[in-house]
Amino acid sequence: MKTRLITREGFNKLKAELDYLWREERPEVTKKVTWAASLGDRSENADYQYNKKRLREIDRRVRYLTKSLEALRIVDYSPQQDGKVFFGAWVEVENDDGEVKRFRIVGYDEIFGRKDYISIDSPMARALLKKEPGDAVTVETPLGPALWYVNEITYPDA
């Protein structure tokens, strides 16, 4: 089960995508489908086939975004979070081999296309919640337990 939380920044990005698809891309593709359909034989009309498929993809994404935006709960930064890992935090961790990772803990809907974002539902994020700089955490991985140390915690709005 996915945790239905999102940062305000992530929410605004999804909302902008929905607005763009609905107000700009969908009407444009609909025009192309209408134009291609007016040419006659649709079975061999690549323009018609491609744009009809694109229209289905847009509609599917619009339905997903509409349902998601209704269900998601925006979590804003709060000063009480300072010094501890909570939702929305940028966290830097290091292991005994000197490997350093830096990422932001966000909602599932925000992680796509970002290598530096991890889901609140991931084992790493779950292990880090409420930790402070200097704390050690054990993260269960497919290769067994991994030990990480919290170096730094920052919040974008702090």
Side-chain angles (χ1 to χ4, degrees):
M1 172 75 188
K2 293 183 295 196
T3 305
R4 303 304 308 197
L5 302 176
I6 193 166
T7 62
R8 180 154 312 270
E9 173 189 343
F11 184 86
N12 291 342
K13 200 171 164 189
L14 291 180
K15 185 104 176 72
E17 179 187 353
L18 175 62
D19 289 346
Y20 170 77
L21 288 173
W22 190 250
R23 297 178 201 281
E24 294 180 41
E25 191 169 359
R26 192 179 193 287
E28 192 61 37
V29 173
T30 303
K31 279 185 212 161
K32 290 177 185 173
V33 168
T34 304
W35 169 80
S38 72
L39 300 177
D41 184 11
R42 296 174 189 176
S43 64
E44 293 181 22
N45 185 330
D47 267 338
Y48 176 81
Q49 307 240 328
Y50 170 79
N51 286 300
K52 195 74 175 155
K53 179 177 182 255
R54 181 66 191 127
L55 199 55
R56 284 192 303 271
E57 290 166 357
I58 291 169
D59 287 345
R60 187 169 35 254
R61 183 70 178 157
V62 163
R63 276 192 308 275
Y64 174 79
L65 288 171
T66 302
K67 280 173 49 180
S68 289
L69 290 170
E70 288 170 7
L72 290 168
R73 191 168 59 101
I74 298 170
V75 177
D76 287 315
Y77 164 77
S78 163
Q80 292 108 323
Q81 293 173 247
D82 278 347
K84 289 193 179 208
V85 178
F86 289 105
F87 187 85
W90 280 99
V91 184
E92 181 184 283
V93 294
E94 186 173 355
N95 66 14
D96 287 329
D97 297 333
E99 183 184 354
V100 175
K101 293 184 182 284
R102 185 172 192 279
F103 45 79
R104 186 172 186 202
I105 299 173
V106 296
Y108 171 80
D109 294 288
E110 298 176 82
I111 61 174
F112 302 99
R114 294 289 305 249
K115 296 210 182 312
D116 57 348
Y117 277 18
I118 65 170
S119 168
I120 185 76
D121 298 318
S122 69
M124 177 69 89
R126 289 279 179 221
L128 286 168
L129 284 178
K130 300 183 183 168
K131 298 297 187 259
E132 300 177 27
D135 285 354
V137 297
T138 302
V139 181
E140 290 302 324
T141 74
L143 302 173
L147 187 63
W148 292 89
Y149 302 94
V150 180
N151 285 346
E152 183 184 30
I153 303 162
T154 55
Y155 287 90
D157 303 333

